[in-house]
Amino acid sequence: MSIWRAEWPWYVATFVIAERTDGLPKSYALSTYLIRAIGAEEAYLQAEALARTLGDSFRDGKGTVVRHECLGLADLDTLQEDEMKHGTHLLWTKWPSTEIPAMRTRNELSLFLPPVPPNAI
């Protein structure tokens, strides 16, 4: 029996985030979240609700105000797994260039960067 892609219980929502830092040009990021839903329409509604919560402002390590604003969904797709476990494949992103994406050393990975100061605005 085959299952249609929108019938899986897990979805991956990728949002476009605008980052504004005082004195610097606006930049953009993709931010990806896991959503559990019963069907594609519910996943979409949950993603839309989540998008409204993704704006944030904080001070970086230099005390400069950084603002994040969610501009909307870049993609919403099913994660074709019934349960989450070690090694579960989450996302495949087609690189929009023929250049090899930058790879990072251990200390450049987000997990190992210094924490953001807790003095959020």
Side-chain angles (χ1 to χ4, degrees), residues 25-66:
K26 187 183 338 182
S27 63
Y28 300 93
L30 296 177
S31 190
T32 303
Y33 289 81
L34 188 62
I35 293 175
R36 185 169 179 88
I38 301 170
E41 191 60 31
E42 181 183 330
Y44 177 76
L45 294 173
Q46 286 190 36
E48 288 290 303
L50 180 59
R52 292 188 290 275
T53 71
L54 297 180
D56 192 16
S57 294
F58 60 92
R59 291 192 185 276
D60 65 12
K62 299 175 185 173
T64 305
V65 175
V66 178

Side-chain angles (χ1 to χ4, degrees), residues 103-109 112:
M103 286 161 267
R104 301 175 181 172
T105 65
R106 179 189 180 275
N107 290 336
E108 294 171 317
L109 298 172
F112 298 103

